[in-house]
Amino acid sequence: ANFVKVCGGGRPQIPLSCRDFEGDLGLEEMFRLGNTVDAVQAARRNVQLSDSILRFCLTVIPLSRAVYFVCDNILWMGAVGLVDVDKEKWNKRCNRYYYFSLIVSLSRDVYEIVQMLKEETRVQKGQWCKSVNHLENNHVRRDFVWTLRVRAEAFLMLLFQSLKSNPPVLLDIVKNLCDLALPLDKLGIYKTNPGVVGLCGLVSSVLSILTLTHPALKLRP
């Protein structure tokens, strides 16, 4: 009765603010449920991948995010008063599943880098070994530190070339690392100030928009 206003004709009407509230609830709930369904569908598609490591990562990531969305839906229902929930407990669950999905995402990025390094090594095998071979030809291979430094420099150059030629992998790594700041802070694993979390969130949002406007920059299986 508190939400109903009776006008001159005696017909009860819902105030504009209530109608807007109901409309917002419907749109928001549809959006949240849509995210959950999309995550499950992505997991079902990725089960068909031939690469076993990619299949594992790209199945686990959307499934963990689907569980995260479910927890987020429960939190949302508690926030609007539909159910009574322990907000602190469900917040922790949300952040745990989000954190887990990001760790698996970064693991996938590392796997992509390893594959890129293998390919780049095949292309530049002669150049990559040139400096070390030079050391051996000059009989200084016993200098372990020097040899290690040359190998490290060659590896870093190889890594740089690989990431330079594969921007989607680089962008995905940066985005995942930025996203990681929030669950690390919320779970108390690595506390930081709100400014850093906000900046990381901003960078992540910009990168997400960039991959939406330029699909070629989005990392795909």
Side-chain angles (χ1 to χ4, degrees):
N2 293 332
F3 293 96
V4 177
K5 179 174 70 177
V6 180
C7 296
R11 184 177 60 185
Q13 291 186 347
I14 298 176
L16 180 61
S17 59
C18 292
R19 291 200 301 271
D20 291 343
F21 178 69
E22 287 181 345
D24 291 341
L25 286 185
L27 289 174
E28 188 172 358
E29 181 61 13
M30 286 177 63
F31 179 73
R32 289 169 180 273
L33 290 175
N35 283 336
T36 308
V37 172
D38 284 345
V40 173
Q41 291 294 332
R44 289 182 61 186
R45 288 194 301 271
N46 295 334
V47 169
Q48 310 300 324
L49 293 174
S50 57
D51 188 304
S52 59
I53 295 179
L54 278 181
R55 182 169 64 246
F56 172 78
C57 292
L58 295 179
T59 302
V60 170
I61 292 168
L63 285 178
S64 60
R65 287 183 179 169
V67 178
Y68 159 77
F69 288 134
V70 169
C71 295
D72 189 53
N73 285 330
I74 293 172
L75 268 176
W76 172 81
M77 288 189 288
V80 299
L82 294 178
V83 293
D84 185 22
V85 298
D86 186 335
K87 292 182 180 180
E88 184 178 352
K89 182 178 73 174
W90 284 98
N91 249 319
K92 277 190 176 181
R93 286 179 179 174
C94 273
N95 285 302
R96 281 173 186 161
Y97 284 112
Y98 187 41
Y99 174 69
F100 177 71
S101 72
L102 290 173
I103 293 298
V104 181
S105 294
L106 285 169
S107 301
R108 181 262 179 106
D109 291 333
V110 170
Y111 176 72
E112 293 283 357
I113 290 174
V114 170
Q115 297 307 306
M116 285 169 12
L117 288 175
K118 287 180 180 178
E119 182 63 29
E120 196 71 23
T121 300
R122 282 194 288 268
V123 174
Q124 301 183 12
K125 188 174 182 180
Q127 298 177 5
W128 191 80
C129 298
K130 187 177 180 181
S131 55
V132 176
N133 289 336
H134 176 73
L135 290 178
E136 292 176 349
N137 293 334
N138 285 278
H139 306 289
V140 294
R141 61 182 179 275
R142 292 187 181 87
D143 189 340
F144 175 75
V145 176
W146 191 9
T147 305
L148 187 63
R149 180 173 62 83
V150 171
R151 286 185 179 276
E153 289 176 356
F155 171 77
L156 290 174
M157 181 58 67
L158 194 63
L159 179 62
F160 173 76
Q161 291 293 339
S162 298
L163 291 175
K164 183 180 177 182
S165 60
N166 292 275
V169 177
L170 178 59
L171 292 180
D172 198 64
I173 292 171
V174 174
K175 183 181 181 304
N176 285 329
L177 289 173
C178 288
D179 287 339
L180 202 57
L182 180 61
L184 284 176
D185 182 68
K186 294 295 184 182
L187 293 172
I189 299 172
Y190 184 79
K191 283 286 187 181
T192 185
N193 64 71
V196 173
V197 175
L199 178 62
C200 289
L202 177 63
V203 173
S204 176
S205 297
V206 170
L207 292 178
S208 295
I209 294 171
L210 189 63
T211 55
L212 284 174
T213 55
H214 298 81
L217 295 177
K218 186 175 178 62
L219 183 61
R220 301 185 183 280

